[in-house]
Amino acid sequence: MSIKIGILGYGNLGRGVECAVKHNPDMELVAVFTRRNPEDVKILTETAKVCHVDQAVSMKDEIDVLILCGGSATDLPVQTPEFAQHFNVVDSFDTHARIPEHFAAVDAAAKKGNHTAMISVGWDPGMFSLNRLYANAILPGGKDYTFWGKGVSQGHSDAVRRIEGVLDARQYTIPVESALEAVRNGENPELSTRQKHTREVFVVAEDGADKAKIEHEIKTMPNYFDEYDTTVHFITAEEMAASHAGLPHGGFVIRTGSTGWEDEHQHVVEYSLKLDSNPEFTSSVIVAYARAAYRMSLEGQTGCKTVFDVAPAYLSLQTPEELRAHML
Amino acid sequence: MSIKIGILGYGNLGRGVECAVKHNPDMELVAVFTRRNPEDVKILTETAKVCHVDQAVSMKDEIDVLILCGGSATDLPVQTPEFAQHFNVVDSFDTHARIPEHFAAVDAAAKKGNHTAMISVGWDPGMFSLNRLYANAILPGGKDYTFWGKGVSQGHSDAVRRIEGVLDARQYTIPVESALEAVRNGENPELSTRQKHTREVFVVAEDGADKAKIEHEIKTMPNYFDEYDTTVHFITAEEMAASHAGLPHGGFVIRTGSTGWEDEHQHVVEYSLKLDSNPEFTSSVIVAYARAAYRMSLEGQTGCKTVFDVAPAYLSLQTPEELRAHML
C-alpha cells in the first residue's frame, strides 16, 4: 500500500516534489492543491487530481502526507500551522532566524490535530544542518565553515531585477577557492564575508539603459552586494535563455577539529553538494522526510519535528534488516 | 550531573575514548577495565580507576555507559552480548558481513537486561553508513561509491609483517584520483577494485633478507594485494619510526543520482573525512553515541541500535531548542 501524497502549491518546488514522488515506488501523488483556477494548472502525473486549495481539508482522509510548497516569507508561517491540524505535513521553511517561532506554532497545531509535522526540510536548512550537528557532536573542539555555490540565488536575482533599466538578471554565488582550500588544509582561517564568496551577475538591460549606473547600483546594494566582490556582465535575452535557464546550486559544510589528550591530531569532515537543480534536490529531500513523517505518525510520534529529530532509518525504502545487512 | 563512562580494553581505541571523554564536558571517565594486571596499565585520567575486567559487573551501578574497545574478530562477538545484559554499551564492531548476527545476539541480551546497546559505531561502519543511507533515501535513482584513504590499513600491515624476513611494515590504501574525479563529474563509471585504490607498502626487512622475494610475496598475496597495483618500499627502522608512526586515514562516500520527470538533472552528494588519527576519530564518534545511548536508555528505548536508529539530536551537547535556534 503506497503512501498517499498531496502537494500544496505548484511552482518549482511543487513540480520537484511531483518528480520525486515518481522516483519513489512506495509513494503515490493523489492531488495538487492550488490557489489558482485548477483548470489552468497542468500537472505531469496523469493519475493525480488538481484541486483548489479550499478543497484540501475535505480530502484529508485520502492523503497521508501533505507537502507544503509555498514560500517562507508569507505562505508557510500561515499554511503550515493551519494544515498541520488536519494532515501530516512537511515544509521547507528556510528563514533561519524565525525557525523557533515557526516550530512553536506548528508544534501546537500538530499536537492539537494529532499529526506529525516536519519543518525546514531541504538542504540548508536540512542536510547541511544535519552535517553541522553530526560533526559538532563528534568534534566538540572545532570550527564550522559553510560555503554556498556555485549556484543561483533567487533572492539576489530578484533584487537586481528591481533595478530600473533591468529586464532580467541571474545572480551566481561562488565560493572562493583559496578560502575553501585553507579550511580543508586545517588552517582554521578567520574569514570575512568578502573572503568566503564572490557574486557574479548576468543582466539583460533595456535598450538605451545606463549600464554604468546599473552596475554601480548592483555593486553598492546594501546587504545583498555591498560586502562582496561582485562582477557584472551585460548579456542579451537570447544568451540568458540559452545559458542561464537552470537553477544549479550546492555548497560545502566543513568542520575542522582536534582530538588527543593535548589536541595533537587534526581532522577535517566535509560534506558537499553539487546540484543541477536546487528545487528538485530540495524536493527529493522533502519526499524522503515525508516517508519518515508518515511512519512516525503511525507510531504516534506526533508534533513538530525537524531533521534533527528523525532517526535516519525512517527515511529509507529499505527495512531495518536490509539496511543493517547492506548499508551499514 | 555528568554521564559516567567505563572503558573496556585499553589499546589505541580505549585511549582514544579516554581523550574524547576529556573533550566532552558532560562526561566523566569512571574506570578502565583490562584483562591485564591493572597495576601494569597506566592511564591518563587521574580521577579514574583501572580495574580488572572481572570487577566490571560489580561496578555496574557506578557506570552509565560501558564502551567496549576490543577487536571485532574475537572480542566483541562475546563481550558485547555479555555486557549488554548489565550495562548500556557501545561498540565499534566492523565486520560488515557479520553485523546481522551480532545485532541479534546483542539485541536479545540488551532487552533481557533492559539496556541500550549501540553496535558498529565509528566511521565505516558509522558515519559513512549514515551518509550512504541519507543519500540513497534522497536520490533513489543513483549510484554509490566509497573510497578509502589515504590511510593506514592495520589488517594489511599485519599481513605483510607475517612474511618471512619482514621486521615491520606499514600499508597505505590510496584512492585513485582519476577515478574520484570521474565519479565527481557524474560520469557514473564502473570501477574495478584495481581502478579504485592503489596500495603502498613500507617494509623494514631483516639484514640479508631476500627483498625481491618479499616484494613478490606482498604483490601476489591473495585477497590482500593481488587485485591491486602495489608499490613496495624498503626503509630503515629509523625511517619507519620517524615517518610512519601515525595512523592517519579517511575516505569518500559519493552518491550520484538524477531527478526530474525524465531524469534530466544530475546531482553529486559527497562526504569525506581526512583524519590524522583513525582510532581517535572513531573514538570521538563512539563517545557521541554513548551520549545518545544514555539518553535513549533513560527514555526506555532499549535493545540493540545502530547509527540508523538514532535521531541526530541525541548526539549533541546542545538542547533541542539550542539546536533549532543555532544549528538548523
Side-chain angles (χ1 to χ4, degrees):
Chain A
M1 215 186 59
S2 54
I3 303 171
K4 296 182 207 70
I5 302 291
I7 293 172
L8 176 51
Y10 196 67
N12 283 332
L13 197 64
R15 262 187 300 274
V17 170
E18 182 180 25
C19 295
V21 168
K22 183 190 179 195
H23 283 77
N24 284 279
D26 62 337
M27 296 189 180
E28 175 193 351
L29 181 64
V30 172
V32 170
F33 300 99
T34 177
R35 287 180 290 207
R36 293 177 267 170
N37 179 353
E39 291 179 10
D40 296 340
V41 176
K42 298 289 167 240
I43 65 171
L44 301 164
T45 309
E46 292 180 3
T47 53
K49 291 183 273 197
V50 181
C51 306
H52 192 270
V53 63
D54 292 344
Q55 288 180 263
V57 175
S58 71
M59 288 173 64
K60 65 183 183 180
D61 294 337
E62 297 168 50
I63 288 167
D64 294 317
V65 185
L66 181 66
I67 297 177
L68 305 174
C69 299
S72 296
T74 56
D75 297 332
L76 298 176
V78 177
Q79 290 175 346
T80 314
E82 182 184 338
F83 289 97
Q85 294 181 52
H86 306 289
F87 296 90
N88 299 315
V89 298
V90 184
D91 82 16
S92 60
F93 184 79
D94 66 359
T95 312
H96 292 260
R98 298 187 60 189
I99 287 173
E101 64 186 284
H102 189 57
F103 182 92
V106 175
D107 194 48
K111 282 179 175 156
K112 191 173 157 195
N114 212 24
H115 290 295
T116 305
M118 303 263 176
I119 63 161
S120 301
V121 177
W123 60 274
D124 195 3
M127 297 313 297
F128 274 19
S129 322
L130 276 177
N131 277 280
R132 286 188 282 262
L133 190 161
Y134 278 118
N136 271 269
I138 296 168
L139 296 173
K143 204 158 158 44
D144 287 310
Y145 296 89
T146 302
F147 292 86
W148 293 274
K150 181 181 178 177
V152 173
S153 164
Q154 307 218 56
H156 287 77
S157 301
D158 290 344
V160 174
R161 281 191 206 101
R162 286 191 290 264
I163 294 174
E164 202 189 318
V166 171
L167 290 175
D168 197 5
R170 196 63 43 103
Q171 193 270 183
Y172 295 91
T173 306
I174 304 169
V176 174
E177 197 59 42
S178 60
L180 258 173
E181 281 310 306
V183 170
R184 285 191 185 121
N185 291 338
E187 296 169 24
N188 291 327
E190 291 292 336
L191 296 166
S192 67
T193 299
R194 192 178 298 274
Q195 287 170 318
K196 288 182 70 183
H197 298 93
T198 57
R199 298 194 179 280
E200 189 171 21
V201 189
F202 294 85
V203 177
V204 180
E206 284 174 11
D207 277 351
D210 182 343
K211 291 183 180 174
K213 183 158 172 281
I214 290 172
E215 181 164 344
H216 180 76
E217 279 194 48
I218 294 171
K219 290 184 172 177
T220 58
M221 193 185 295
N223 303 319
Y224 285 87
F225 292 97
D226 61 340
E227 291 181 64
Y228 297 86
D229 290 333
T230 301
T231 312
V232 178
H233 309 275
F234 290 92
I235 61 174
T236 63
E238 293 68 34
E239 198 179 335
M240 181 67 82
S243 304
H244 303 283
L247 292 170
H249 220 312
F252 305 81
V253 172
I254 305 177
R255 186 166 174 88
T256 53
S258 55
T259 63
W261 195 250
E262 302 292 349
D263 288 293
E264 61 269 33
H265 292 119
Q266 307 303 314
H267 308 277
V268 182
V269 181
E270 176 170 344
Y271 180 78
S272 69
L273 296 173
K274 197 169 72 182
L275 312 175
D276 269 2
S277 165
N278 181 356
E280 287 181 6
F281 188 83
T282 300
S283 303
S284 301
V285 179
I286 287 173
V287 164
Y289 278 91
R291 177 180 294 122
Y294 175 67
R295 291 174 174 176
M296 290 171 77
S297 79
L298 292 182
E299 294 181 1
Q301 296 191 50
T302 55
C304 189
K305 313 286 175 190
T306 76
V307 294
F308 297 157
D309 305 309
V310 178
Y314 285 113
L315 303 170
S316 177
L317 257 168
Q318 296 183 38
T319 65
E321 291 75 17
E322 288 169 333
L323 288 174
R324 285 193 293 270
H326 305 298
M327 213 167 279
L328 197 59
Chain B
M1 215 186 60
S2 55
I3 302 171
K4 297 182 207 70
I5 301 290
I7 292 172
L8 175 51
Y10 196 67
N12 283 332
L13 196 64
R15 261 187 300 273
V17 170
E18 183 180 25
C19 294
V21 167
K22 183 190 180 196
H23 284 78
N24 284 280
D26 62 337
M27 296 189 180
E28 174 193 352
L29 181 65
V30 173
V32 169
F33 300 99
T34 178
R35 286 180 291 208
R36 293 176 268 171
N37 179 352
E39 291 179 10
D40 295 341
V41 175
K42 298 289 166 241
I43 66 172
L44 301 163
T45 309
E46 290 180 4
T47 52
K49 290 184 272 197
V50 180
C51 306
H52 193 268
V53 62
D54 292 345
Q55 287 180 264
V57 175
S58 71
M59 290 172 64
K60 66 182 181 180
D61 293 337
E62 298 168 52
I63 287 167
D64 294 318
V65 185
L66 181 65
I67 297 177
L68 306 173
C69 298
S72 295
T74 56
D75 297 332
L76 297 176
V78 176
Q79 289 175 346
T80 314
E82 183 185 337
F83 288 98
Q85 293 182 52
H86 306 289
F87 295 89
N88 299 315
V89 298
V90 183
D91 81 17
S92 60
F93 185 78
D94 66 359
T95 312
H96 291 261
R98 297 187 61 190
I99 286 173
E101 63 186 283
H102 188 56
F103 182 91
V106 175
D107 193 48
K111 283 181 174 156
K112 191 173 157 193
N114 213 23
H115 290 295
T116 305
M118 303 264 177
I119 63 162
S120 303
V121 176
W123 59 274
D124 196 2
M127 298 312 297
F128 273 19
S129 322
L130 277 176
N131 277 280
R132 285 188 283 261
L133 189 162
Y134 278 118
N136 271 268
I138 296 168
L139 297 173
K143 205 160 158 43
D144 288 309
Y145 295 88
T146 302
F147 292 86
W148 292 274
K150 181 181 177 176
V152 173
S153 162
Q154 307 218 55
H156 286 78
S157 300
D158 290 343
V160 174
R161 281 190 205 101
R162 286 191 290 266
I163 294 174
E164 203 189 317
V166 172
L167 290 175
D168 197 4
R170 196 64 43 104
Q171 194 271 182
Y172 294 92
T173 305
I174 304 168
V176 174
E177 197 59 42
S178 60
L180 258 174
E181 281 311 305
V183 170
R184 285 190 185 124
N185 291 339
E187 297 169 23
N188 290 328
E190 291 291 337
L191 297 167
S192 67
T193 299
R194 190 178 300 274
Q195 287 170 319
K196 288 182 70 184
H197 297 92
T198 57
R199 299 193 179 279
E200 189 171 20
V201 189
F202 294 85
V203 177
V204 180
E206 285 174 11
D207 277 351
D210 182 342
K211 291 182 179 174
K213 183 159 172 280
I214 290 172
E215 182 165 343
H216 180 76
E217 279 194 49
I218 293 171
K219 290 184 171 178
T220 58
M221 194 185 294
N223 302 319
Y224 285 87
F225 292 97
D226 61 341
E227 291 181 64
Y228 297 85
D229 290 333
T230 301
T231 313
V232 178
H233 309 274
F234 290 91
I235 60 174
T236 63
E238 292 69 36
E239 197 179 335
M240 180 67 81
S243 304
H244 303 284
L247 292 169
H249 219 313
F252 306 81
V253 173
I254 304 176
R255 185 167 175 87
T256 55
S258 55
T259 63
W261 196 250
E262 301 291 349
D263 288 293
E264 60 269 33
H265 292 121
Q266 307 303 313
H267 307 277
V268 182
V269 181
E270 176 169 346
Y271 179 78
S272 69
L273 296 172
K274 198 169 72 182
L275 312 176
D276 270 2
S277 165
N278 181 356
E280 285 181 7
F281 188 82
T282 300
S283 304
S284 300
V285 180
I286 287 173
V287 164
Y289 278 90
R291 176 181 295 122
Y294 174 68
R295 291 174 174 177
M296 290 171 78
S297 80
L298 291 182
E299 293 183 1
Q301 297 192 50
T302 55
C304 190
K305 312 286 176 191
T306 75
V307 293
F308 296 156
D309 306 308
V310 179
Y314 285 113
L315 303 170
S316 176
L317 258 168
Q318 296 183 38
T319 66
E321 291 75 17
E322 289 170 332
L323 288 173
R324 284 193 294 270
H326 305 297
M327 213 167 280
L328 195 60

